[in-house]
Each structure stands twice: as structure tokens, then as C-alpha cells.
């Protein structure tokens, strides 16, 4: 992920929603993000966060199934860097 995407306010809000337990991802090669049960309006950023290894599915599931989203250690670090 480029630093520009990781540092946007939108990306940070998405990471905070994951930390708060409000997010789900679909299990696929292009995981879609859902916040509070609603499809995230910026799937480009959601895909970038997943491909950069900042968010992931919290557990294994069938392709297309929605599961809770989790931050990776890199995602936690990206969130902490912006908070400092």
C-alpha cells in the first residue's frame, strides 16, 4: 500500500471501525469491506488495505462469506503511527 492511502482520513476511519469490531470482510481475492452491516462506499481503499496486509478476515470461511474483519500487526502499527 502506498503511504498516501494508509494515511488518508478515510483509511484511518476504516481501520478504526475494524478495531471497534464494526467491520466485516468478504472472503475473496478482492475482499469487500462492510461497516455496520453496510457495504463500504470506498471499496478501492478497502481492497488496498487488504492487499497491503493491514486488514484481514478474522477467521477462515467459504469464498464469498462475510466474516469479522481484524487488523494485522501492520494495521495496528499504521493506526498507531497516525495517532502519535
Amino acid at each position: 500500500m502506498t503511504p498516501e492511502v494508509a494515511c488518508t482520513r478515510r483509511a484511518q476511519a476504516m481501520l478504526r471501525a475494524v478495531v471497534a469490531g464494526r467491520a466485516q470482510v468478504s472472503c475473496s481475492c478482492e475482499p469487500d469491506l462492510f461497516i455496520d452491516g453496510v457495504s463500504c462506499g470506498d471499496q478501492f481503499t478497502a481492497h488496498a488495505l487488504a492487499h497491503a496486509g493491514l486488514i484481514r478476515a478474522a477467521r477462515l470461511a467459504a469464498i464469498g462469506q462475510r466474516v469479522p474483519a481484524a487488523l494485522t500487526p501492520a494495521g495496528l502499527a499504521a493506526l498507531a503511527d497516525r495517532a502519535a
Side-chain angles (χ1 to χ4, degrees), residues 25-34 43 46-48 50-51 55 57:
V25 291
S26 61
C27 294
S28 71
C29 62
E30 289 292 345
D32 291 327
L33 184 67
F34 298 83
Q43 291 300 336
H47 295 164
H51 290 298
I55 62 172

Side-chain angles (χ1 to χ4, degrees), residues 5-82:
V5 175
C7 293
T8 66
R9 289 182 184 206
R10 183 175 295 160
Q12 293 298 306
M14 294 161 94
L15 294 175
R16 286 192 303 275
V18 173
V19 168
R22 298 173 40 222
Q24 295 178 312
V25 291
S26 61
C27 294
S28 71
C29 62
E30 289 292 345
D32 291 327
L33 184 67
F34 298 83
I35 299 174
D36 297 330
V38 179
S39 180
C40 179
D42 185 356
Q43 291 300 336
F44 174 82
T45 299
H47 295 164
L49 293 171
H51 290 298
L54 301 180
I55 62 172
R56 62 172 179 78
R59 61 179 169 81
L60 295 176
I63 294 174
Q65 184 177 0
R66 280 195 223 174
V67 297
L71 283 188
T72 64
L76 287 169
L79 198 55
D81 286 346
R82 286 297 288 176

